[in-house]
Amino acid sequence: MEAANLSVAATGVALPLGSEACSIGPSPGGVVGSTPGGAALPGREPPFSVFTVLVVTLLVLLIAATFLWNLLVLVTILRVRAFHRVPHNLVASTALSDVLVAALVMPLSLVSELSAGRRWRLGRSLCHVWISFDVLCCTASIWNVAAIALDRYWTITRHLQYTLRARRRASALMIALTWALSALIALAPLLFGWGEGYDARRQRCQVSQEPSYAVFSTCGAFYLPLGVVLFVYWKIYKAAKFRFGRRRRRAVLPLPATLQVKEAPQEAEMVVFAARRPVVAFQTSGDSWREQKEKRAAVMVGILIGVFVLCWIPFFLAELISPLCACSLPPIWKSIFLWLGYSNSFFNPLIYTAFNKNYNNAFKSLFSKQR
């Protein structure tokens, strides 16, 4: 997957910042250098401007934070026995794909963007390895989000049929399908000769530009899982709305003729009984433990899906529309969309651990033991 050059001009000097990662469409070459009059200075490496240094520093911090946070989640799941079960294996699969994005994809993307003219000087073999890991890890990260959303949806709407044993089977199947489909999309150009990603003459490394592969990869890597998560979010919303309406109807209850106040701490309920004749009482309590758990799961899924859509949809919309209309976005926007998509790997662990107190307690115990 690819983004175009991010050309930053400062006092007549332009620095190319572009990546070939996580993209389907072509992009124009970068700017090597320029004079105030616009004449190119081939062979000269432009000096770094202050703005460029700030941008590069932010990207390096993003890479480091993404790697460390996802690695912390993986270590926690491996060391805490309570996490060796569903649904933490789905969280572990997501963290694994995201930590690979940070370790293998983002650094080489940054190196490619900083090189003059975005030339690839690391050889054909490493180019193919980089492109394959790029598509594999980004696609797996996206599909893992869809798998977590599906698991939460079945837990909320089918909690009687969706037992722990059923969840284990379903999660194992979803993880296997996620990585198998991601590997198929990533390795299709190499296995079936579906275009060439490395151009030795131009020293260019990018995802195959075959139109048929572009449609196949964008649909398989984004638009299909996008449809899944939007469907899941709609169904969760309908289920929550139905339960809320049912609770409202049960809020008014006919009661026996005994005067007393009854408190139920576990359900956080208070029911008032009037004397001599049945009257109407209102249920003023909060939610049950299970309802609170389902609410947290629904909120987590909504935020996870919302961040996923905001991070990736600009990039994939641009990659789908550009080939169809034979037009191209400005290079700076392509790079912004690319790194916005990469940032989803940073937000994922923050979201699904923020709504689980067990992770916070595990993190504290992990660091306290190390001290």
Side-chain angles (χ1 to χ4, degrees), residues 265-268 286-296:
Q266 293 182 353
E267 298 289 335
D287 300 323
S288 68
W289 174 83
R290 181 169 193 85
E291 287 173 337
Q292 291 175 356
K293 185 177 179 181
E294 291 178 357
K295 273 188 176 181
R296 286 197 301 269

Side-chain angles (χ1 to χ4, degrees), residues 57-127:
T57 302
L58 289 176
L59 294 181
V60 170
L61 291 176
L62 175 64
I63 294 171
T66 303
F67 176 79
L68 293 175
W69 191 249
N70 283 284
L71 185 63
L72 176 62
V73 172
L74 281 175
V75 171
T76 303
I77 293 175
L78 290 175
R79 295 192 61 175
V80 179
R81 283 192 175 183
F83 290 161
H84 297 176
R85 57 183 176 84
V86 177
H88 302 286
N89 53 355
L90 291 172
V91 175
S93 179
T94 308
L96 176 61
S97 61
D98 290 335
V99 80
L100 290 176
V101 169
L104 303 177
V105 178
M106 296 169 73
L108 286 177
S109 297
L110 183 59
V111 170
S112 177
E113 291 195 9
L114 291 174
S115 63
R118 290 191 311 123
R119 294 187 179 91
W120 182 263
R121 299 181 175 88
L122 302 178
R124 183 173 182 269
S125 298
L126 187 56
C127 170

Side-chain angles (χ1 to χ4, degrees), residues 3 52 74 97 104 145 162-163 227 235 313:
T52 299
L74 281 175
S97 61
L104 303 177
V145 171
Y162 199 50
T163 61
K235 296 293 286 185
I313 203 168

Side-chain angles (χ1 to χ4, degrees), residues 39-298:
L41 297 176
R44 287 187 58 186
E45 294 288 344
F48 285 5
S49 67
V50 174
F51 179 75
T52 299
V53 172
L54 290 176
V55 171
V56 173
T57 302
L58 289 176
L59 294 181
V60 170
L61 291 176
L62 175 64
I63 294 171
T66 303
F67 176 79
L68 293 175
W69 191 249
N70 283 284
L71 185 63
L72 176 62
V73 172
L74 281 175
V75 171
T76 303
I77 293 175
L78 290 175
R79 295 192 61 175
V80 179
R81 283 192 175 183
F83 290 161
H84 297 176
R85 57 183 176 84
V86 177
H88 302 286
N89 53 355
L90 291 172
V91 175
S93 179
T94 308
L96 176 61
S97 61
D98 290 335
V99 80
L100 290 176
V101 169
L104 303 177
V105 178
M106 296 169 73
L108 286 177
S109 297
L110 183 59
V111 170
S112 177
E113 291 195 9
L114 291 174
S115 63
R118 290 191 311 123
R119 294 187 179 91
W120 182 263
R121 299 181 175 88
L122 302 178
R124 183 173 182 269
S125 298
L126 187 56
C127 170
H128 286 163
V129 171
W130 174 43
I131 294 294
S132 298
F133 272 110
D134 186 356
V135 180
L136 171 69
C137 299
C138 290
T139 304
S141 178
I142 292 171
W143 271 108
N144 277 316
V145 171
I148 290 178
L150 278 172
D151 177 75
R152 297 300 193 269
Y153 164 64
W154 289 327
T155 302
I156 292 173
T157 60
R158 304 178 183 179
H159 58 272
L160 294 179
Q161 301 90 345
Y162 199 50
T163 61
L164 182 59
R165 186 176 181 182
R167 292 184 73 184
R168 284 174 178 168
R169 292 179 178 177
S171 62
L173 179 60
M174 287 190 292
I175 291 173
L177 289 176
T178 290
W179 287 97
L181 178 61
S182 302
L184 176 63
I185 296 174
L187 300 177
L190 299 178
L191 297 177
F192 309 114
W194 213 344
E196 173 59 49
Y198 179 68
D199 187 343
R201 183 178 61 84
R202 301 172 60 189
Q203 290 185 314
R204 181 68 61 84
C205 180
Q206 60 186 359
V207 174
S208 170
Q209 300 301 298
E210 284 287 333
S212 56
Y213 177 73
V215 173
F216 167 74
S217 57
T218 51
C219 290
F222 178 73
Y223 290 106
L224 185 57
L226 175 64
V228 171
V229 296
L230 292 180
F231 172 78
V232 165
Y233 185 72
W234 175 66
K235 296 293 286 185
I236 290 176
Y237 172 78
K238 284 188 64 178
K241 188 176 180 181
F242 171 77
R243 290 196 178 194
F244 179 76
R246 189 171 59 181
R247 287 185 61 219
R248 289 286 297 271
R249 288 193 298 271
R250 290 187 307 186
V252 179
L253 303 172
L255 301 174
T258 306
L259 179 61
Q260 59 177 328
V261 175
K262 179 182 178 182
E263 296 185 1
Q266 293 182 353
E267 298 289 335
E269 297 179 340
M270 177 177 288
V271 183
V272 180
F273 297 92
R276 295 185 182 179
R277 60 189 180 87
V279 296
V280 175
F282 294 92
Q283 181 174 328
T284 60
S285 67
D287 300 323
S288 68
W289 174 83
R290 181 169 193 85
E291 287 173 337
Q292 291 175 356
K293 185 177 179 181
E294 291 178 357
K295 273 188 176 181
R296 286 197 301 269

